[in-house]
Amino acid sequence: MKAFNRLLRISALAFLLMLMVQHKSIAQGYVSDQEFYDDLQNYGTWIQDDQYGNVWVPDVDDDFRPYATNGYWVQTEYGTTWVSDYPWGWATFHYGRWRYDDYFGWEWIPGHEWAPAWVNWRHGGGYYGWAPMQPGITISISIGGGGGYHVPDNYWVCAPQNHITDRYINRYYVQNNRTVNIIHNTTIINNTYVYNNKTYITGPRPQEIQQYTHRPVTVYRVNNASRPGAPSVGRNQINIYRPAIKAQPDARPARVVNATVYKHKNPDAAIGRRGAAVNTHVNAAKLAAVAHTNNPQIVHVNTMPAATHPAMGGGHRNVGPAIVPAQVPQNNNNAQRHKVAPAVMPPADHHDPTVRQPQQAQQHSQQAQQQAKQQEQQHTEQAQQQAKQQVQQAKQQQQQAQQQARQQQQQAQQQAKQQAQQQAKQQQQQAQQQARQQQQQAKQQQQQAQQQAKQQAQQQAKQQQQQAQQQARQQQQRAQQQQQQKEKEHKQTPPGN
């Protein structure tokens, strides 16, 4: 009976251990970079780059741009912090760097150091501009402008300074064809913040922003979230998953696409476009589909290591795809004691408990192991189903968020279009009103001119008539004087002459 109870306890303990290990619970603290490979696998494709190693290509919409799409800026004690609505944004916008490849589009290169955002900042002319920091660029080079570092023009995003803290800042982004001219008339923002001997690029300070927004700027306190996912913003605080990352030598993605081979075999399936800094979603989806195939020429399938997550208290736990069940020890001495030769073994007495006990113990042990195995299999299937459901839910949430963003963008564009049409209509009405007023003024001026001309003509005619009458009177008077002179002379002449 003691052996049976011991076997039961061992089997139950093994089953409980399997249940505990299967539930992945990430606590804030240290995790390995295997976390990046595991969590980002369902949202994009890992490819092998000749220069940077394993890099991640997100499966996103055509208009995706790092630190611009599906997120916004807030102020924290660390500086200007990017809040991403993507479930994978906790990693890609706070660790590592982004670069744009003319074929694969935007690529994320993993890194181990957390920051509020890995971007360059500029300001001037009423605008703020920011751009992802490229791999290998230090903070001193970034803010100092030394080493010949030049941010590509198509990396920059610009927005009016008075809208930098707006929740829907994407409504105010400057069109790409205007961004270059704005950036060339700005200066570097070299503000930094040092905490625990680590330097962070802070971007514009709250006091400066308040001068443009004319309202107080909320500075959020950063709290540590316990699980990966999109940050949650509450009253004066923001919860972000930001564990310390330790390099794990054997960390690697489950599936990796050979970038060189894929590009050679698919020359017309480029995700990026030279000089445009945009993504082609159809081709990104094609790359993701190829990554899930078993083509050994393009896809390399790795044997996954157990992801090591050192806990805050200094302990260790391993989270991996498989579990080794606990083994039930065998007591060989006890087995030998109950092994009796058939020739001398007495007939089985079904009423004798000393005969039934070893058999029942063995049967119960086998049943317990079988039940534990079945429960383990059921739990594994349930865990896998739950994981699939969570991935599907995350994808649905992402699609909903993208749909909402597209709808909001369409609404903003519609509003802008309506405002432009309304302004054009008002300007047209004002122009027509001004034209009518000018016509009225011209008509009045014409009537005044005609009236003045008429009056002047009448006045001149009257003056000419008066002059003619005056001349006629003068001529009449001269004729009368001449007549009188002749009559006088006639009277003075003697008769007969």
Side-chain angles (χ1 to χ4, degrees):
M1 193 66 181
K2 291 182 180 180
F4 170 68
N5 291 334
R6 184 180 180 185
L7 289 174
L8 276 180
R9 287 196 298 270
I10 292 175
S11 299
L13 180 59
F15 178 67
L16 290 175
L17 287 173
M18 286 186 288
L19 288 178
M20 293 173 61
V21 174
Q22 282 290 336
H23 285 285
K24 183 178 180 181
S25 175
I26 304 295
Q28 188 75 34
Y30 290 100
V31 301
S32 74
D33 43 9
Q34 184 65 42
E35 181 101 0
F36 294 145
Y37 300 130
D38 294 343
D39 285 355
L40 271 61
Q41 188 77 42
N42 294 324
Y43 302 105
T45 307
W46 289 97
I47 65 174
Q48 174 63 35
D49 183 85
D50 292 338
Q51 182 177 1
Y52 298 104
N54 293 325
V55 303
W56 183 69
V57 178
D59 186 6
V60 288
D61 289 340
D62 294 347
D63 60 351
F64 171 79
R65 302 189 72 179
Y67 303 102
T69 308
N70 210 18
Y72 57 100
W73 295 106
V74 298
Q75 289 293 311
T76 69
E77 67 265 38
Y78 295 95
T80 308
T81 304
W82 181 252
V83 178
S84 174
D85 294 328
Y86 288 115
W88 40 265
W90 69 269
T92 60
F93 299 117
H94 300 285
Y95 301 87
R97 306 294 177 84
W98 286 91
R99 67 179 290 268
Y100 189 79
D101 182 83
D102 291 336
Y103 183 88
F104 287 101
W106 286 108
E107 300 175 340
W108 180 71
I109 296 90
H112 297 155
E113 186 176 355
W114 185 91
W118 290 100
V119 297
N120 301 281
W121 284 96
R122 298 183 71 91
H123 64 165
Y127 293 95
Y128 284 121
W130 61 94
M133 288 178 61
Q134 294 176 290
I137 301 302
T138 64
I139 292 178
S140 59
I141 292 177
S142 173
I143 64 177
Y149 175 56
H150 171 72
V151 180
D153 290 338
N154 55 7
Y155 278 38
W156 290 101
V157 179
C158 292
Q161 289 175 313
N162 59 332
H163 290 294
I164 190 63
T165 57
D166 283 15
R167 175 63 178 83
Y168 300 102
I169 188 175
N170 61 302
R171 298 177 179 176
Y172 306 99
Y173 289 158
V174 176
Q175 295 180 352
N176 296 336
N177 56 1
R178 293 181 51 212
T179 301
V180 176
N181 294 331
I182 292 175
I183 288 299
H184 289 176
N185 291 280
T186 58
T187 56
I188 295 175
I189 299 178
N190 55 7
N191 300 328
T192 58
Y193 171 69
V194 179
Y195 180 74
N196 284 344
N197 296 324
K198 292 185 178 180
T199 302
Y200 303 95
I201 296 179
T202 61
R205 299 190 187 279
Q207 298 83 354
E208 177 186 349
I209 296 174
Q210 187 171 342
Q211 295 177 359
Y212 300 105
T213 60
H214 303 292
R215 59 179 180 270
V217 177
T218 302
V219 178
Y220 293 89
R221 183 179 71 254
V222 175
N223 294 332
N224 296 330
S226 60
R227 290 180 178 274
S232 62
V233 180
R235 183 177 179 85
N236 298 329
Q237 64 182 11
I238 176 172
N239 300 314
I240 303 178
Y241 182 65
R242 50 175 196 145
I245 306 296
K246 283 191 174 182
Q248 184 174 339
D250 58 347
R252 55 192 177 271
R255 290 175 171 269
V256 184
V257 174
N258 188 310
T260 303
V261 176
Y262 181 87
K263 183 177 179 180
H264 177 72
K265 289 183 174 293
N266 300 275
D268 298 327
I271 301 171
R273 188 168 71 245
R274 181 181 296 274
V278 296
N279 273 24
T280 303
H281 175 66
V282 174
N283 292 339
K286 178 180 178 179
L287 174 65
V290 171
H292 288 83
T293 63
N294 293 322
N295 186 344
Q297 294 181 347
I298 300 178
V299 182
H300 180 72
V301 181
N302 290 311
T303 302
M304 296 306 298
T308 303
H309 301 265
M312 287 292 288
H316 296 271
R317 61 186 180 86
N318 292 330
V319 179
I323 306 174
V324 179
Q327 300 295 325
V328 180
Q330 300 292 332
N331 192 331
N332 295 327
N333 294 331
N334 186 56
Q336 291 293 332
R337 282 198 302 268
H338 290 285
K339 186 177 180 181
V340 182
V344 297
M345 187 172 63
D349 186 358
H350 297 288
H351 299 285
D352 187 359
T354 61
V355 177
R356 293 201 313 259
Q357 229 173 33
Q359 296 176 352
Q360 289 178 348
Q362 185 177 3
Q363 290 176 356
H364 285 302
S365 174
Q366 292 175 352
Q367 290 176 357
Q369 291 179 357
Q370 185 67 22
Q371 290 177 355
K373 186 176 181 180
Q374 291 176 353
Q375 290 175 350
E376 176 192 353
Q377 184 176 0
Q378 291 176 357
H379 181 74
T380 301
E381 292 176 352
Q382 291 176 357
Q384 291 175 349
Q385 186 65 24
Q386 289 177 355
K388 289 181 180 179
Q389 292 176 354
Q390 290 175 354
V391 170
Q392 291 176 352
Q393 290 176 356
K395 286 185 177 180
Q396 290 175 355
Q397 291 175 355
Q398 180 184 3
Q399 291 174 354
Q400 291 175 356
Q402 292 174 349
Q403 182 66 22
Q404 290 177 355
R406 284 194 294 268
Q407 291 176 352
Q408 291 170 356
Q409 184 178 5
Q410 290 175 354
Q411 290 176 356
Q413 291 175 349
Q414 185 66 23
Q415 291 176 355
K417 183 178 179 180
Q418 291 176 352
Q419 291 177 356
Q421 290 176 347
Q422 186 66 23
Q423 290 177 354
K425 186 176 180 180
Q426 291 177 354
Q427 292 175 354
Q428 183 180 6
Q429 291 175 349
Q430 291 175 356
Q432 291 175 349
Q433 182 67 21
Q434 290 176 355
R436 286 194 294 269
Q437 292 176 354
Q438 291 174 354
Q439 284 180 342
Q440 187 67 23
Q441 291 176 355
K443 186 176 180 180
Q444 291 176 354
Q445 292 174 354
Q446 184 180 7
Q447 291 175 350
Q448 291 176 357
Q450 291 175 350
Q451 185 68 22
Q452 290 176 355
K454 184 178 180 181
Q455 291 176 355
Q456 290 176 355
Q458 290 177 349
Q459 185 68 25
Q460 289 177 357
K462 186 176 181 180
Q463 290 177 354
Q464 290 175 356
Q465 185 180 5
Q466 290 176 352
Q467 290 176 357
Q469 292 176 350
Q470 181 69 24
Q471 290 176 358
R473 285 195 294 270
Q474 290 177 353
Q475 290 176 358
Q476 187 177 5
Q477 288 177 359
R478 284 197 296 270
Q480 289 177 355
Q481 290 175 357
Q482 289 175 358
Q483 183 66 28
Q484 291 175 358
Q485 183 67 26
K486 287 180 180 181
E487 291 178 354
K488 184 177 180 182
E489 291 178 352
H490 181 67
K491 289 180 179 180
Q492 292 177 355
T493 303
N497 291 333

